[in-house]
Amino acid sequence: MNQHRLNPNISIRLIEKKDNAAIADIIRLVMTEFKAVGRGYSITDSEIDDMYTAYAPERNAFYVVELKGRVLGCGGFGPLKGAEQDICELRKMYFKSELRGLGVGTKLLNLCLDEAAKAGFRYCYLETTDSMEQAQRLYGRHGFKYLEKPMGNTGHSSCGTWMAREL
């Protein structure tokens, strides 16, 4: 695996209430960039405007990525709705263009997978779009395998790519 040296000005931390507006903007910006808008995409999820509260329950975690104090990325995990209790879902991992290609995706993904395992999950599932090819390559490098059909009940019926891995 390629090792990326992270910029010392980049930090990853748990979401705080004050981050809600910046995170909502990032999710909407990136999803629009990749034409993942409308019904069946996470851009319409009710939690978008209050991610802090949505990820407060036990066995959930949501992180923000800052570059020089500016929130430019995010991602987290939580139980996969409609699935066994040992399956989590990687959720809403999005980066503004300034963060892409810097190794941040690897760092945040590893953090999420490690913390999900500590929370008692045995498997991690994710959904993405066909157009998010760079993200799919990242997931593949970290052991995610393509699935033929979706798992659980995320409500994201427009996502056409499903992947999972054991933790």
Side-chain angles (χ1 to χ4, degrees):
M1 175 172 49
N2 290 341
Q3 292 292 327
H4 295 280
R5 193 177 159 110
L6 285 181
N7 182 319
N9 295 315
I10 295 174
S11 63
I12 300 174
R13 61 171 173 78
L14 284 167
I15 190 171
E16 298 174 9
K17 191 168 187 66
K18 68 178 182 171
D19 301 316
N20 278 335
I23 295 302
D25 288 345
I26 290 166
I27 293 168
R28 290 184 175 112
L29 174 77
V30 174
M31 294 203 74
T32 300
E33 175 186 349
F34 286 92
K35 298 176 180 29
V37 295
R39 293 185 75 177
Y41 291 108
S42 63
I43 195 169
T44 61
D45 290 353
S46 60
E47 68 185 27
I48 297 272
D49 290 310
D50 191 3
M51 297 293 283
Y52 174 77
T53 300
Y55 287 81
E58 189 176 333
R59 299 185 83 207
N60 285 268
F62 200 80
Y63 302 94
V64 298
V65 181
E66 291 181 316
L67 174 62
K68 295 182 181 178
R70 290 179 46 230
V71 176
L72 297 178
C74 60
F77 68 89
L80 176 60
K81 294 175 188 159
E84 299 294 322
Q85 290 187 0
D86 64 349
I87 303 173
C88 73
E89 179 186 10
L90 184 69
R91 299 183 185 154
K92 296 178 178 62
M93 193 162 134
Y94 299 113
F95 302 121
K96 285 190 172 183
S97 59
E98 300 100 302
L99 285 181
R100 297 180 198 153
L102 301 177
V104 179
T106 293
K107 186 163 176 90
L108 180 57
L109 179 58
N110 285 333
L111 175 63
C112 287
L113 296 175
D114 289 347
E115 293 301 313
K118 288 178 190 174
F121 294 106
R122 291 188 51 224
Y123 301 94
C124 185
Y125 168 78
L126 66 87
E127 297 175 333
T128 188
T129 66
D130 296 342
S131 64
M132 293 185 173
E133 295 170 0
Q134 188 175 359
Q136 290 179 49
R137 285 192 299 275
L138 170 71
Y139 302 139
R141 285 193 307 269
H142 288 85
F144 282 86
K145 304 289 183 211
Y146 289 98
L147 304 174
E148 293 183 17
K149 62 182 182 176
M151 295 174 66
N153 182 20
T154 65
H156 304 148
S157 59
S158 295
C159 290
T161 303
W162 314 283
M163 302 175 85
R165 66 159 275 183
E166 194 168 344
L167 298 176

